[in-house]
Amino acid sequence: MFTARFAAGLMLATCSFSLASAATESDTLEVIHVYGLPTDSRVSGTLPALQDGKIFEGKKTTLVNLGEQPVFVEPNLRQMFSRLPGLFVSDQKIPSIYNINYRGLGNPHESEYVAFFQNNIPLAADLFGYPTIYYMPAAQRVERIEFVRGGGGLLYGPQVGPVLNLVTRRADADAETAFSTDQAMGSDGLYSTYNEVNWSQGDIGVLASFDHRSADGPRTNEDYRVNAGYLGIAWEGLQDIRLGFDLDLYQSDSGEAGRLTSQEYATDRDLVKSPFNRIEIDQVIATLTYGQQIDASSTLDASVWYSSMDRLSRRSAMFTDPANEPETTAIDEQQFANYGFDLRYALSWGENNVLTAGTTSYLGDSPRTRHVSDDIRSSVQKPEDLAFSQDRVMTYNALFLENLFRFGKLSVVPTLRLERINYDLRERVKNANLRRDAIDTDRTYHETLFGLGLMYQSGEHAELYANASESYRPQRFDDLINPSSELAGSNSPDISRAVNYEIGYRSEPRDGLLFDLSLFRIDFEDKIEQIQVNISDVERVNSGDSRHQGIEFGVEYNLVADAAYTLKLFANGSLLDTEITRSLEADLIDNSTAFAPDYLIRTGFIVDRGPWNAALTASLVGEQYWQDSNLASGTGAGRIDGEIPAYEVLDFSIEYRHRDRWTLYGGVNNLLDQDYYSRVRSDGIEPAQERALYAGFRFEIR
């Protein structure tokens, strides 16, 4: 399937155009020059006032240039996100699913509360109905990360959590012709290769890449295989107009060795309990973009994208004794076909003001089936094994308006966003074990959101900022059409809502020294949760409210900075306090929310001296609970402790640039071999990776 899609994508790309170059600070709209707004941020490490038709002034943002760090091999997300304060990585060893949360908002499973984008295009399987992350570009291709708090400041949508935009290397008509290949090997049978070709002539540029990662894993059935390809063609033949096309193809196949009880983890963390469970992902993302400098004071940015995903999982009950091998396995397939459109207009008016307006539309079609097979080693879907089948369609439209008013050193940025979401959900085949009728529902929701950002320039490179943004979390498909609950027909949860507040101070008091400190609070109302009604039935309801507040900080200091030697020290983190303030279950009130460590600190250094580049990162994570009850689950040998212990992990990476064409690199993940876990679900603990080493080389021709 992957090969066919890749070939089709190449054919499509040959008759398409691609966006000019990977976005950099120099891509900031010319309108900024005309009206005296800064082309770069006043404080390094933050986003500029205006970029790609989006206003970032009056919002908390972080900009990280990954090119400053030595090369590392994904999936070590701790290194990728080491300079993003407060972002919690729930570690697992396979790259089939990415688990991240922020400020105690929801379970990190599949990163549902963090909106991931790649070059401003959403990466979720479905934008709202199934907002999960199964794909990330190769770390070698990511140039920088843009991190926007406050529900994304209403720039990207209504989500409660933040936005993380991965800006990758893309085609550039001005780039020199070049070729590079990375080859690396490491622990547990790791093999990684990343290959890239860059070519340009006249107004045309082409960039193509292919990467592969595979490993056997420390446990049986903890192996994975990842293949990914990218193709972009850049054309800059029209004055003040940018046209573009980008194509990403991705495939992963990963084993799931099973989760453990607390006793099993203490006795043998390498115990295998599901030797045949697998998850397979096939994903395609195709994007057309249009950017125009209409005149000296206005610009237009538009994008049209298509993404598809096939998610196939095979999961049977866990077991350790071969004599107790389960008789059946569930083969669950979800297919996603998503179509999106985004249009943004920016206009400078008056002396210091900027107006942005636009619209976003999205259509997601996501059929789902489950087969129950008596062959737990095969993913073949036989018609006679069909357990249920669903049709799930979601349409989304938004209109937004934002204006940057400048009054001397004071900036005021009000935001208005009008939203419409429609769900059309139908059970084509109902689970035969349920007594209720099949579900057929069509629901439409309209929401109006407001936001306000403030910024006061207290010095040439210092500013106070504040932001308050309304947000909401639409229902997931399973909230409205639960395929396995007897009471699913009575499910009627409403949208969850939140308000994000943030006030902070950031400055660059001297060259190389950056400082950002903020206070935040999130009031999250009407959270949707699964309630166990009786021994066999569950129901999704709006269960209650929670409050999330704390302090977030980031400091970076380039201790030594000259043409031949830089030494950057960094420290960042958050102190978090969460509380369940209202709940249908009285025992939960006053508890901490799940996956909300009271502290999350990262610190380390990056040194670049001549041919050497090295980085050391320490991640310190406080105690946390994996469920809102803050209690253990189960008893005796089946007990899963309620508290996840605090842990500290060190990661080290280094590279040596030998002459012009050769680079040697390597690293150690979990340098001190910390025995820990940070991922727990209702069926057990998933051990984090122990010490792992990798080493490789890069060869370049320019």
Side-chain angles (χ1 to χ4, degrees):
M1 182 179 295
F2 176 80
T3 304
R5 290 186 177 182
F6 190 82
L10 290 175
M11 295 175 61
L12 178 61
T14 59
C15 58
S16 304
F17 295 105
S18 165
L19 180 63
S21 63
T24 65
E25 282 80 353
S26 62
D27 290 327
T28 305
L29 301 181
E30 184 179 350
V31 61
I32 294 177
H33 291 282
V34 174
Y35 288 93
L37 296 175
T39 55
D40 297 315
S41 305
R42 293 186 184 90
V43 179
S44 300
T46 61
L47 290 169
L50 179 67
Q51 178 180 281
D52 299 330
K54 304 180 186 71
I55 295 173
F56 292 102
E57 191 134 315
K59 303 171 178 68
K60 178 160 187 172
T61 64
T62 301
L63 177 63
V64 172
N65 178 10
L66 285 187
E68 296 176 347
Q69 303 174 209
V71 66
F72 59 90
V73 179
E74 192 270 325
N76 186 352
L77 298 185
R78 293 189 306 272
Q79 284 188 297
M80 180 177 285
F81 302 142
S82 63
R83 295 157 66 191
L84 298 177
L87 199 63
F88 171 65
V89 177
S90 181
D91 297 297
Q92 73 172 42
K93 305 172 192 175
I94 56 174
S96 60
I97 299 170
Y98 297 91
N99 308 296
I100 297 166
N101 82 340
Y102 187 63
R103 295 179 176 176
L105 291 170
N107 192 316
H109 180 62
E110 297 175 338
S111 304
E112 287 194 8
Y113 285 80
V114 177
F116 275 87
F117 285 69
Q118 176 181 283
N119 304 316
N120 298 311
I121 302 301
L123 296 182
D126 182 273
L127 198 59
F128 301 123
Y130 204 79
T132 52
I133 301 300
Y134 300 98
Y135 155 81
M136 280 192 192
Q140 294 96 324
R141 193 173 140 231
V142 180
E143 287 192 325
R144 70 177 191 268
I145 303 174
E146 300 173 347
F147 192 32
V148 186
R149 311 335 189 261
L154 303 181
L155 290 171
Y156 294 86
Q159 63 278 344
V160 176
V163 168
L164 198 151
N165 185 38
L166 303 171
V167 181
T168 64
R169 194 159 44 255
R170 291 181 286 173
D172 184 350
D174 296 324
E176 62 180 350
T177 299
F179 165 77
S180 68
T181 180
D182 281 41
Q183 306 291 329
M185 301 181 71
S187 302
D188 301 319
L190 171 69
Y191 171 64
S192 171
T193 178
Y194 176 81
N195 308 274
E196 181 176 293
V197 177
N198 206 339
W199 174 85
S200 65
Q201 184 175 0
D203 298 324
I204 298 176
V206 177
L207 179 67
S209 70
F210 171 78
D211 63 275
H212 166 85
R213 282 162 284 142
S214 59
D216 298 329
R219 294 194 286 173
T220 301
N221 198 41
E222 209 163 40
D223 61 296
Y224 64 83
R225 303 289 183 274
V226 174
N227 294 297
Y230 165 77
L231 179 64
I233 308 171
W235 185 62
E236 299 179 357
L238 297 175
Q239 184 178 1
D240 297 328
I241 292 180
R242 309 186 303 271
L243 294 173
F245 174 81
D246 294 284
L247 177 68
D248 283 276
L249 303 112
Y250 180 86
Q251 179 192 53
S252 73
D253 181 1
S254 303
E256 297 181 329
R259 302 188 180 98
L260 312 178
T261 67
S262 293
Q263 180 175 305
E264 290 169 337
Y265 178 86
T267 303
D268 180 9
R269 71 193 312 274
D270 291 328
L271 180 67
V272 176
K273 297 178 64 178
S274 52
F276 309 115
N277 289 1
R278 308 290 298 183
I279 179 167
E280 301 176 27
I281 304 295
D282 285 278
Q283 185 159 0
V284 175
I285 306 172
T287 308
L288 291 168
T289 56
Y290 176 91
Q292 181 181 4
Q293 183 79 42
I294 299 173
D295 53 36
S297 61
S298 61
T299 60
L300 188 67
D301 288 274
S303 59
V304 178
W305 72 88
Y306 164 77
S307 66
S308 70
M309 179 189 293
D310 191 330
R311 177 196 181 280
L312 181 69
S313 63
R314 180 179 78 237
R315 289 169 176 158
S316 65
M318 292 187 286
F319 66 98
T320 55
D321 183 355
N324 294 325
E325 181 175 296
E327 296 181 354
T328 61
T329 190
I331 304 169
D332 196 290
E333 183 173 21
Q334 300 186 63
Q335 297 174 313
F336 302 89
N338 306 316
Y339 306 84
F341 171 70
D342 187 86
L343 176 67
R344 296 173 187 265
Y345 173 74
L347 171 68
S348 282
W349 61 277
E351 295 184 359
N352 291 295
N353 308 311
V354 178
L355 171 70
T356 62
T359 182
T360 295
S361 296
Y362 176 88
L363 169 65
D365 186 2
S366 174
R368 178 184 181 185
T369 61
R370 177 174 293 175
H371 293 74
V372 179
S373 170
D374 59 6
D375 184 353
I376 70 171
R377 294 165 176 80
S378 171
S379 296
V380 174
Q381 299 167 305
K382 300 177 182 178
E384 61 269 24
D385 294 335
L386 182 64
F388 65 77
S389 175
Q390 298 177 330
D391 283 337
R392 308 179 302 187
V393 178
M394 193 208 73
T395 56
Y396 168 73
N397 309 96
L399 298 172
F400 43 87
L401 186 70
E402 190 166 29
N403 199 95
L404 167 58
F405 296 98
R406 301 293 297 273
F407 305 101
K409 295 182 178 181
L410 176 66
S411 299
V412 180
V413 187
T415 304
L416 170 66
R417 193 173 180 100
L418 306 176
E419 304 249 335
R420 177 188 179 275
I421 294 181
N422 173 261
Y423 295 92
D424 188 358
L425 311 173
R426 182 168 65 95
E427 282 183 311
R428 298 172 58 193
V429 176
K430 179 179 68 70
N431 191 325
N433 295 325
L434 301 178
R435 298 183 301 275
R436 62 168 172 79
D437 295 333
I439 295 174
D440 188 349
T441 184
D442 190 326
R443 298 189 183 186
T444 301
Y445 300 87
H446 295 87
E447 297 290 325
T448 301
L449 302 175
F450 296 96
L452 180 65
L454 302 172
M455 195 280 291
Y456 179 76
Q457 186 180 357
S458 58
E460 183 179 0
H461 298 289
E463 52 195 35
L464 292 161
Y465 59 89
N467 188 274
S469 295
E470 293 183 318
S471 58
Y472 71 95
R473 177 174 167 81
Q475 299 95 325
R476 299 172 76 254
F477 290 137
D478 277 2
D479 296 331
L480 299 175
I481 187 170
N482 190 326
S484 57
S485 172
E486 190 66 66
L487 300 177
S490 65
N491 274 7
S492 187
D494 199 357
I495 284 171
S496 303
R497 292 174 174 81
V499 182
N500 287 263
Y501 305 94
E502 190 125 27
I503 182 169
Y505 173 75
R506 55 194 173 213
S507 70
E508 192 171 0
R510 55 178 294 182
D511 289 344
L513 177 59
L514 308 176
F515 177 79
D516 192 339
L517 175 67
S518 68
L519 304 175
F520 63 85
R521 180 182 173 110
I522 304 171
D523 290 324
F524 194 6
E525 299 179 350
D526 295 326
K527 294 195 300 178
I528 298 176
E529 293 185 329
Q530 180 172 289
I531 301 297
Q532 194 74 36
V533 178
N534 54 50
I535 193 171
S536 61
D537 298 331
V538 297
E539 189 172 10
R540 306 292 178 95
V541 300
N542 296 103
S543 64
D545 307 337
S546 61
R547 181 263 300 145
H548 309 247
Q549 63 186 17
I551 300 172
E552 188 173 281
F553 70 90
V555 181
E556 293 194 359
Y557 181 41
N558 204 345
L559 186 63
V560 180
D562 58 40
Y565 182 25
T566 61
L567 174 58
K568 179 173 289 188
L569 309 178
F570 65 88
N572 62 70
S574 66
L575 305 177
L576 179 62
D577 172 52
T578 66
E579 182 182 352
I580 297 173
T581 58
R582 182 179 66 87
S583 177
L584 295 178
E585 299 186 25
D587 292 343
L588 300 184
I589 296 175
D590 298 330
N591 283 0
S592 297
T593 63
F595 295 101
D598 50 0
Y599 66 85
L600 196 167
I601 310 294
R602 294 190 183 95
T603 185
F605 67 80
I606 301 172
V607 59
D608 195 333
R609 184 169 186 172
W612 294 95
N613 185 208
L616 178 70
T617 299
S619 300
L620 297 83
V621 182
E623 297 173 348
Q624 56 188 305
Y625 300 101
W626 64 271
Q627 57 181 352
D628 286 347
S629 70
N630 297 177
L631 300 174
S633 174
T635 59
R639 175 187 170 93
I640 303 169
D641 293 340
E643 184 177 86
I644 302 175
Y647 59 90
E648 301 81 33
V649 186
L650 267 67
D651 298 301
F652 177 72
S653 57
I654 189 170
E655 66 180 31
Y656 174 69
R657 295 181 289 273
H658 179 64
R659 299 178 181 176
D660 293 332
R661 294 188 173 182
W662 293 92
T663 299
L664 303 176
Y665 63 85
V668 185
N669 299 329
N670 193 359
L671 180 64
L672 301 182
D673 201 20
Q674 172 85 328
D675 185 359
Y676 77 102
Y677 60 90
S678 57
R679 179 164 161 77
V680 185
R681 305 211 73 206
S682 60
D683 56 350
I685 295 166
E686 191 159 324
Q689 188 176 49
E690 298 171 287
R691 182 190 294 124
L693 294 80
Y694 63 91
F697 69 87
R698 180 189 305 116
F699 176 72
E700 300 174 271
I701 300 177
R702 296 184 181 276

